[in-house]
Amino acid sequence: MLQQVDRVEGLQRVNDFVVKFANVNGSGSASANALFAKSVLRMGIPATPRNIFPSNIQGLPTWYEVRVSEKGYLGARGGGADLMVQMNPQTWDQDIADIAPGGYLFYDNTKVLPASKFRRDIVVIGVPLTEITNAAYKSTRERQLFKNIVGLGALSMLLDMDPAAIEQLLAEQFKGRDKLIAANVQALHMGRDWVTANLEAPIGLRLKRADAVGDRIFVEGNSAAALGAVYGGATVCAWYPITPSSSLAEAFTRWCQRFRVDKETGTNKFAIVQAEDELASIGMVIGAAWNGARAFTATSGPGISLMQEFIGLAYFAEIPAVIFDVQRAGPSTGMPTRTQQTDILSCAYASHGDTKHVLLFPEDPYECFEFGALAFDLADRLQTPIFVMLELEIGMNDRLCRPFQWDDTRKLDRGKVMTAAELQAGKKFGRYLDVDGDGIPYRTLPGTHPTKGAFFTRGTSKDAMARYSEEGHDYQENMERLLKKHHTARTLVPPAIIRSAPDRAKYGAIYFGTTSPAMAEADEILAEQGITLDLCRVRGFPFGDEVAAFIAAHDHVFVVEQNRDGQLRSLLVNELEIDPKRLGKIVHYDGTPITARFIADAIARRLQPTPVASLREVVS
Amino acid sequence: MTFLPKPKLHHPDLQKNALGYTRRDYEGPVSTLCAGCGHDSISAAIVRACFELDIAPHRVAKLSGIGCSSKTPTYFLGASHGFNSVHGRMPSVATGANIANRELIYLGVSGDGDSASIGLGQFAHAMRRGVNMVYIVENNGVYGLTKGQFSATADKGAKSKRGVVNTDEPIDLVGLALQLGATFVARSFSGDKAQLVPLIEAALKHQGAAFIDCISPCVAFNNHEGSTKSFDFVREHNEAVNALDLMLPREEITADYAPGTVELVTQHDGSVLRLRKLHTDYDVHDRVAALTYMQERHAAGEIVTGLLYVDPEPRDLHAALKTCATPLNALDDAALIPGSAALDKLNASLR
Ligand SMILES: Cc1ncc(C[n+]2csc(CCOP(=O)(O)OP(=O)(O)O)c2C)c(N)n1
Ligand code: SF4
Ligand SMILES: [Mg+2]
């Protein structure tokens, strides 16, 4: 007896659908939503949630969209929701419109709504959550708190979920607080029982235990990157709050409190300063790194813009610095809570004068951790700023990924730092001398030796011995060495991952960062249509030789990215001197994560010249 | 401006300090500033203060922004690491450097343009954070390096060399430092070495944010009639509230002055500030009164100098951050990396 406006044949799907929760921010929904996603994972079914939180809309709406996919597709699917859990009256109309035909609407029907508020092609499921919780609980606080859990219980019954998975998670979450566990379990069953008594369950969307998750972990990229910074030996973090990067600095604080407080003295083996702006945060990072501590900042596009002058100084004066840029849609405030890959060029060539920087592009939290740690070794080794290019899409969403790994025999690579003993023994020191032919000079840290190795760091030009010089040849030699050093970086950044189709394909696709899961899925869709592609996931800049070879080996290469101008494509054209005609631009930049459907559609249409107009796609 | 190689001829009986260094060991290459520039006198005062305090030159890190004043760290303490950063941003670089290694002495040199114009924010925040450093502003009321434009410390009504009258209110860095919690605040004059050297010494011994606003005339662009930062004007209007001698713990402390005219202030490290009071009712421990006094005297056209405020037991940024005793830049891998076992445990909690 589902409440239906019309008798609709609902979608029939097992372990492959999208649930979207429409909530009011701050209503306690976040933890219930996460509980749902984690329960699906515990049932062995991959699930990928995404927080959608507009920055400035009345009614504080937030959405939490979970893609359930036993096949393991972690990219956004696109299209409407198969099940809308509607808990925010303010966004009702928009949410109803957002349901896929044949999809389901779950809502609190304590208050009766007129038939005109519903669609005829969806299945409507009303559960009087307010009525149930008002009857069961006295205080408003309890009513609010448990409404989400009663709702989750009802949902679990409708979707045929295993309640044991949820109960287990509740037990872990409230470990040691037995009363709380019991109360939550009770609320859960209140919802389940109401559904059993009043509705037909399960519905056409069902969750069935599977074994497709393995030992993977579920974590946010910002948190993973911050953990990488801890493992990478970072001791100094200077930052200025900005979405979507703030949670990275905040996570670093939490990890440090866990791992870096001296047990005996209670003192900190780290320092975190919330600076007055991004100029100060990068200044502090540069000061600390000049003085031999591993230091980083976390920011987003607007912060990168403010740091420009200092980044040039760090490049030219050769000071290590790690910058986590969690990208959002710009320019300026742009769409501050929407995802993009839009700072590629502004980071690659950050600052005035001739500069080029090292960038890393993690695809998921696993690589956020890996590259987060690696960035500090690279910064010290190369004595230059290193940018870790996260995106809101992985930064602020939990994502299933390989478990973190650490090799205990691994040593932090502090790079070429000349010690007091070496100076004492008479080893020649010239701050900007290219002694090893790799463009990387030796440095000394302040306070090392009473009479040897001191030098003056400056942004003005100098000779190889760090003496002020405006001689043209001194300037040029230095700039050429910096270029050589950048060339050396090619061999130190993580190489691109290349995946060749069984028979060598004529066409290739280059992509990076969070486009990764959508690209993998698109590749399968295209294969079904008889289109085979070779894939190249770029993980670092400067580009390694394998990227140039990949392009050379294909008739045409699509560069798939999430910005308007095809920034990575421009970088490839510019740095590898590729004929632009050989690189097709496929861009998606409306602030939502790129989808497999979008990519497959765009590539298929490009290869089969029967153009069909599409509203969302921008192709040039 | 030319570059002269400087002869390093050590006179055999050049006086040595307790560490065996001579004054020369605290000097740097020959200055390229204009002959007679006030900034060079401040460099000389820094050299003397470090020599007299027996500071090992390499234990000092000198930092600056951009300007003639910010160029000066090249010309003193040649055996120290120096960092000539970007315009107005020395404070953040110094803050980071200080956080990385709490054991060195941090000496920041800046100009009035560098600290009161473009870098006012960074100046303010370094003061309020209590970065343990000596922060000297070589204040000439103009941008020397870019050829004489007014800076934000130029007095209202002051006349530029070209005859333009400044119509904006001046920013008083001393007032700001007092208000923002600096724990050592002084003003001096590059032409008064007897006052300046002990102030720099006391600041070097201070374990918190020590600020010295040092009026330092620009002979090229701001030393004319109508300027309030010229040698003549400052000499005429200088009103010192006290005279300072710094006495180290090893010295015998003498105070052979009339009662009530001398005050001894013991700093955290044991050094003693012997203050001869020139204005008997001026209290160096009263931040609020100091602020009022500065404003009153400024309105009366005086330039108040001397040690203006001191908190002998300051709390610095490291105390606030609760950083460990070992400098952060000296922590080894074992202290920094939680290891694979911790990671495995963490992985398990993320499933
Ligand atoms: C971002 C930036 N803007 C402008 C300049 C040009 N500039 C160099 S020094 C200076 C003013 C310096 O004045 P002050 O700090 O008072 O030093 P002084 O030369 O008077 O000692 C200016 C505007 C610069 N170097 N950087
Ligand atoms: S221009 Fe002024 S501040 Fe600069 S060196 Fe000459 S006198 Fe000194
Ligand atoms: Mg000046």
Side-chain angles (χ1 to χ4, degrees):
Chain A
M1 47 172 265
L2 298 181
Q3 294 180 8
Q4 286 181 32
V5 179
D6 272 338
R7 198 74 205 168
V8 176
E9 188 57 49
L11 296 168
Q12 301 293 316
R13 289 198 183 136
V14 180
N15 292 354
D16 178 25
F17 51 86
V18 172
V19 186
K20 191 165 177 177
F21 297 82
N23 297 114
V24 178
N25 194 8
S27 62
S29 54
S31 64
N33 293 346
L35 200 56
F36 170 77
K38 271 200 130 176
S39 307
V40 177
L41 293 173
R42 285 294 177 91
M43 290 176 68
I45 312 158
T48 311
R50 288 180 174 79
N51 292 294
I52 303 158
F53 51 109
S55 66
N56 190 19
I57 291 181
Q58 206 198 354
L60 298 172
T62 64
W63 289 270
Y64 187 75
E65 189 181 276
V66 184
R67 180 178 187 188
V68 175
S69 165
E70 185 174 345
K71 282 192 175 165
Y73 300 137
L74 305 181
R77 187 193 67 182
D82 300 319
L83 167 60
M84 176 70 68
V85 181
Q86 215 297 332
M87 298 295 204
N88 182 1
Q90 293 257 16
T91 58
W92 178 273
D93 291 344
Q94 144 184 17
D95 292 335
I96 299 303
D98 193 22
I99 301 170
Y104 300 78
L105 166 70
F106 176 102
Y107 80 113
D108 180 353
N109 68 350
T110 305
K111 210 175 110 195
V112 179
L113 291 172
S116 63
K117 290 301 246 176
F118 300 89
R119 258 168 55 190
R120 298 190 160 272
D121 60 340
I122 57 173
V123 182
V124 178
I125 308 163
V127 179
L129 293 173
T130 307
E131 194 182 302
I132 299 171
T133 42
N134 282 0
Y137 302 100
K138 296 251 149 34
S139 75
T140 18
R141 214 188 120 261
E142 273 183 319
R143 284 173 179 172
Q144 171 73 44
L145 211 66
F146 288 117
K147 191 163 136 186
N148 294 309
I149 302 295
V150 174
L152 179 61
L155 208 58
S156 70
M157 200 71 211
L158 291 164
L159 297 175
D160 202 16
M161 282 172 84
D162 183 352
I166 310 174
E167 286 168 15
Q168 178 65 31
L169 281 166
L170 286 169
E172 289 168 22
Q173 189 179 334
F174 300 114
K175 200 174 160 197
R177 288 181 285 173
D178 290 349
K179 267 202 190 137
L180 215 53
I181 299 172
N184 275 282
V185 171
Q186 193 195 359
L188 188 75
H189 283 277
M190 212 180 283
R192 291 181 67 86
D193 294 347
W194 192 92
V195 169
T196 311
N198 297 284
L199 300 175
E200 281 169 31
I203 57 171
L205 306 178
R206 261 160 298 139
L207 292 166
K208 234 180 99 196
R209 268 199 184 273
D211 189 14
V213 171
D215 70 345
R216 281 184 284 181
I217 58 171
F218 185 62
V219 65
E220 268 185 13
N222 280 352
S223 182
L227 187 67
V230 171
Y231 276 73
T235 51
V236 179
C237 165
W239 66 295
Y240 188 77
I242 182 168
T243 306
S245 73
S246 300
S247 60
L248 200 162
E250 284 156 1
F252 185 69
T253 311
R254 280 197 307 279
W255 294 129
C256 282
Q257 269 150 9
R258 171 153 6 155
F259 294 122
R260 290 277 194 76
V261 178
D262 187 81
K263 293 220 170 54
E264 279 161 34
T265 59
T267 55
N268 296 333
K269 291 182 272 185
F270 64 92
I272 299 165
V273 179
Q274 189 189 309
E276 59 269 30
D277 55 29
E278 285 86 348
L279 283 78
S281 44
I282 188 66
M284 289 178 199
V285 167
I286 287 170
W290 171 73
N291 215 358
R294 294 196 150 187
F296 75 94
T297 186
T299 189
S300 192
I304 295 289
S305 295
L306 285 186
M307 294 176 187
Q308 297 285 311
E309 187 186 11
F310 256 134
I311 291 169
L313 173 78
Y315 173 80
F316 192 65
E318 299 182 63
I319 297 162
V322 173
I323 300 168
F324 291 96
D325 176 15
V326 191
Q327 298 166 87
R328 66 188 209 183
S332 191
T333 316
M335 292 199 288
T337 61
R338 308 292 179 156
T339 197
Q340 268 188 5
Q341 302 175 318
T342 198
D343 301 337
I344 310 305
L345 289 174
S346 69
C347 288
Y349 299 128
S351 206
H352 50 277
D354 287 316
T355 56
K356 283 187 210 213
H357 305 288
V358 176
L359 317 181
L360 306 176
F361 305 107
E363 66 165 346
D364 66 0
Y366 175 83
E367 283 190 345
C368 289
F369 173 78
E370 283 287 314
F371 297 177
L374 174 68
F376 292 91
D377 279 358
L378 289 179
D380 273 357
R381 170 69 29 199
L382 291 162
Q383 297 173 31
T384 199
I386 307 289
F387 293 79
V388 188
M389 307 295 289
L390 279 77
E391 302 153 44
L392 183 146
E393 162 76 350
I394 32 168
M396 292 187 70
N397 289 313
D398 286 319
R399 174 65 59 84
L400 205 57
C401 67
R402 285 165 287 169
F404 301 137
Q405 280 174 11
W406 190 260
D407 174 358
D408 286 326
T409 62
R410 175 170 167 181
K411 290 239 150 298
L412 300 180
D413 176 8
R414 300 276 183 173
K416 300 185 191 179
V417 181
M418 208 173 276
T419 62
E422 287 168 325
L423 291 165
Q424 185 62 33
K427 190 164 173 182
K428 180 170 182 188
F429 174 70
R431 173 64 181 104
Y432 299 110
L433 279 177
D434 183 11
V435 279
D436 302 320
D438 55 4
I440 308 171
Y442 273 82
R443 62 176 180 145
T444 55
L445 301 181
T448 298
H449 190 279
T451 53
K452 298 172 200 256
F455 68 96
F456 203 73
T457 303
R458 46 163 69 85
T460 31
S461 60
K462 64 259 164 175
D463 65 12
M465 302 306 286
R467 287 173 303 224
Y468 178 80
S469 167
E470 282 180 34
E471 295 295 329
H473 63 90
D474 280 334
Y475 177 79
Q476 274 195 354
E477 276 168 23
N478 190 48
M479 292 302 283
E480 289 300 321
R481 184 183 52 75
L482 286 172
L483 204 54
K484 194 201 258 181
K485 185 169 87 164
H486 189 70
H487 206 60
T488 299
R490 252 169 60 257
T491 58
L492 299 177
V493 300
I497 291 191
I498 293 176
R499 225 216 48 206
S500 305
D503 305 312
R504 204 185 73 76
K506 270 166 70 178
Y507 304 110
I510 289 180
Y511 60 102
F512 62 100
T514 67
T515 303
S516 183
M519 188 69 230
E521 186 182 348
D523 187 48
E524 289 182 24
I525 299 173
L526 288 167
E528 279 165 23
Q529 300 171 23
I531 300 172
T532 52
L533 286 177
D534 290 338
L535 303 180
C536 170
R537 179 164 69 87
V538 168
R539 299 194 298 165
F541 174 75
F543 305 118
D545 294 341
E546 73 284 3
V547 179
F550 180 87
I551 296 171
H554 293 87
D555 291 0
H556 191 78
V557 173
F558 298 102
V559 184
V560 183
E561 50 191 313
Q562 301 181 53
N563 56 63
R564 185 189 68 182
D565 294 337
Q567 296 188 18
L568 188 86
R569 179 176 171 276
S570 298
L571 204 55
L572 288 163
V573 166
N574 200 35
E575 294 293 325
L576 300 179
E577 298 186 3
I578 310 275
D579 178 356
K581 285 197 218 64
R582 305 201 52 234
L583 298 179
K585 177 161 75 169
I586 295 192
V587 294
H588 175 102
Y589 64 96
D590 66 2
T592 63
I594 196 167
T595 63
R597 291 179 189 182
F598 172 87
I599 299 171
D601 199 37
I603 291 180
R605 250 168 328 113
R606 218 66 85 72
L607 294 178
Q608 294 154 4
T610 41
V612 187
S614 161
L615 289 176
R616 285 255 309 269
E617 188 201 344
V618 180
V619 171
S620 73
Chain B
M1 292 186 202
T2 47
F3 295 93
L4 300 171
K6 182 152 154 182
K8 270 239 162 174
L9 290 178
H10 275 206
H11 199 273
D13 42 52
L14 217 50
Q15 196 195 333
K16 289 183 173 167
N17 66 11
L19 295 180
Y21 290 107
T22 69
R23 186 89 65 84
R24 286 277 156 79
D25 296 316
Y26 294 84
E27 292 173 352
V30 167
S31 166
T32 61
L33 302 185
C34 305
C37 174
H39 301 349
D40 279 333
S41 311
I42 302 174
S43 297
I46 292 169
V47 166
R48 201 165 126 196
C50 292
F51 169 77
E52 285 178 358
L53 289 182
D54 306 322
I55 290 170
H58 73 294
R59 303 306 291 172
V60 181
K62 34 180 195 168
L63 301 109
S64 62
I66 298 291
C68 296
S69 36
S70 292
K71 280 166 70 176
T72 63
T74 319
Y75 315 131
F76 59 80
L77 297 180
S80 308
H81 275 70
F83 196 159
N84 192 191
S85 65
V86 291
H87 194 20
R89 320 293 172 200
M90 174 275 283
S92 62
V93 179
T95 303
N98 179 294
I99 291 171
N101 183 357
R102 60 190 306 166
E103 289 182 348
L104 299 184
I105 294 169
Y106 295 91
L107 174 57
V109 174
S110 178
D112 43 315
D114 203 54
S115 279
S117 300
I118 192 169
L120 185 63
Q122 295 222 336
F123 163 79
H125 289 278
M127 292 298 119
R128 64 182 270 272
R129 287 194 182 99
V131 180
N132 182 2
M133 68 182 290
V134 178
Y135 192 134
I136 301 176
V137 168
E138 306 189 345
N139 186 353
N140 55 17
V142 289
Y143 298 168
L145 194 65
T146 54
K147 305 215 177 299
Q149 302 85 352
F150 282 124
S151 83
T153 66
D155 284 309
K156 197 170 181 173
K159 217 188 257 173
S160 79
K161 203 173 172 183
R162 291 208 194 109
V164 181
V165 174
N166 178 37
T167 53
D168 298 343
E169 285 292 337
I171 287 173
D172 177 18
L173 293 173
V174 157
L176 283 176
L178 282 168
Q179 198 182 333
L180 294 165
T183 44
F184 181 107
V185 181
R187 182 181 284 132
S188 190
F189 171 42
S190 65
D192 186 353
K193 207 163 257 189
Q195 182 189 49
L196 181 57
V197 173
L199 281 174
I200 295 175
E201 290 179 355
L204 284 165
K205 286 279 162 190
H206 185 74
Q207 301 296 305
F211 174 64
I212 303 175
D213 177 27
C214 189
I215 316 286
S216 175
C218 168
V219 292
F221 300 109
N222 205 12
N223 197 30
H224 49 270
E225 177 91 40
S227 157
T228 59
K229 299 275 193 297
S230 66
F231 278 109
D232 288 347
F233 187 92
V234 179
R235 278 200 192 99
E236 272 160 39
H237 297 81
N238 189 346
E239 275 296 323
V241 290
N242 48 33
L244 170 73
D245 294 310
L246 179 85
M247 287 177 296
L248 299 174
R250 61 168 193 266
E251 293 172 61
E252 192 192 340
I253 309 225
T254 53
D256 45 2
Y257 292 93
T261 62
V262 168
E263 184 186 352
L264 300 178
V265 182
T266 307
Q267 296 209 100
H268 186 80
D269 71 327
S271 60
V272 175
L273 312 178
R274 184 174 64 184
L275 282 167
R276 272 177 291 129
K277 296 191 170 190
L278 304 177
H279 284 241
T280 40
D281 50 355
Y282 191 85
D283 180 0
V284 290
H285 306 292
D286 190 337
R287 196 185 279 280
V288 178
L291 267 166
T292 314
Y293 188 84
M294 286 315 124
Q295 285 191 337
E296 280 172 7
R297 300 327 299 160
H298 181 259
E302 283 176 12
I303 301 171
V304 178
T305 60
L307 177 59
L308 306 173
Y309 175 78
V310 66
D311 173 355
E313 292 288 338
R315 262 175 67 83
D316 81 333
L317 178 60
H318 280 281
L321 293 171
K322 288 207 196 111
T323 35
C324 54
T326 310
L328 294 178
N329 72 353
L331 293 169
D332 60 11
D333 289 17
L336 296 173
I337 309 172
S340 66
L343 207 52
D344 291 345
K345 236 164 102 184
L346 200 90
N347 281 328
S349 74
L350 295 172
R351 290 189 176 112

